[in-house]
Amino acid sequence: MARWDPGAEERLKRAALELYLERGYDNVTVTHIAERAGLTRRSYFRYFPDKREVLFAGSERLPPALAEAVLAADPDAAPLAAVLDALARVGAELVEHVDGATERRAVIDASPELQERERTKTAAVTAAIRDALKQRQVNAETAELVAQLASVVFQNAFRHWLEAEGRASFGSCLHTVTDELRAALAGT
């Protein structure tokens, strides 16, 4: 077996997802994943620190991407408008590179441990948006509120996109969620 096997990381992700769906997250070990991928346990740890992170690989790139997009938004845009623009751009890019998202969501939804990890990821997104808004000279309270709303909107838009199973763009899903939020705020 080659020391650095081409495609190993993707095989590990695929093997983990398959096993989590077949057996449940709690009934799968790193050894199971590595064996299914045709690798050793030691090889697994070259790519991922534990069995959770195989599902969250790459998620660390989302907060800085959103922050960068918020900072790049029209400087005259209101805070929420700037953030919604950023969500649309980053979300459209994100869904182009998401593989097995529906299955991944099912695994996370079935595990309290993974739901907690998902909340940690969401908190990092919220903090990145908040900090970018502060850099845009938005006051701290408004930045926090807009960031929290944006995180909820982003999560809901992504869920809508998953449920649409390719029949809707991320942008249209984001638009639907923002329309629902506006209607709720208007009391209609």
Side-chain angles (χ1 to χ4, degrees):
M1 192 176 305
R3 181 169 171 85
W4 296 106
D5 191 2
E9 184 174 1
E10 287 307 313
R11 288 199 334 261
L12 287 165
K13 289 178 187 177
R14 189 172 43 255
L17 192 53
E18 288 170 1
L19 286 166
Y20 294 157
L21 289 167
E22 289 170 17
R23 302 179 188 178
Y25 174 78
D26 291 332
N27 299 317
V28 176
T29 67
V30 167
T31 302
H32 294 139
I33 297 167
E35 287 174 356
R36 171 75 62 100
L39 298 164
T40 65
R41 179 179 164 87
R42 185 173 173 182
S43 293
Y44 179 94
F45 288 112
R46 287 189 184 122
Y47 297 96
F48 308 105
D50 59 38
K51 75 177 196 172
R52 271 186 327 187
E53 292 308 310
V54 70
L55 290 172
F56 296 95
S59 66
E60 71 281 354
R61 295 189 307 258
L62 183 58
L66 284 168
E68 184 179 315
V70 169
L71 292 171
D74 179 357
D76 295 326
L80 186 56
V83 171
L84 290 175
D85 179 61
L87 294 179
R89 286 188 279 131
V90 172
E93 178 70 22
L94 173 71
V95 298
E96 291 295 318
H97 303 287
V98 173
D99 196 26
T102 303
E103 295 84 2
R104 179 184 169 279
R105 176 85 272 149
V107 171
I108 291 169
D109 287 349
S111 168
E113 180 181 342
L114 295 175
Q115 290 170 23
E116 180 61 32
R117 176 61 180 87
E118 184 78 358
R119 283 189 290 275
T120 299
K121 183 181 88 173
T122 300
V125 164
T126 302
I129 294 170
R130 178 200 61 221
D131 294 346
L133 287 170
K134 286 181 179 179
Q135 288 182 42
R136 289 176 58 100
Q137 306 306 311
V138 174
N139 76 59
E141 288 182 13
T142 301
E144 183 68 33
L145 178 61
V146 169
Q148 289 174 353
L149 279 172
S151 290
V152 170
V153 166
F154 192 70
Q155 290 172 40
N156 281 279
F158 190 74
R159 191 171 292 271
H160 277 256
W161 177 78
L162 287 175
E163 290 168 357
E165 297 178 337
R167 294 182 308 272
S169 69
F170 181 81
S172 67
C173 293
L174 181 66
H175 185 73
T176 298
V177 171
T178 57
D179 282 351
E180 290 169 356
L181 177 61
R182 285 184 179 107
L185 291 171
T188 57

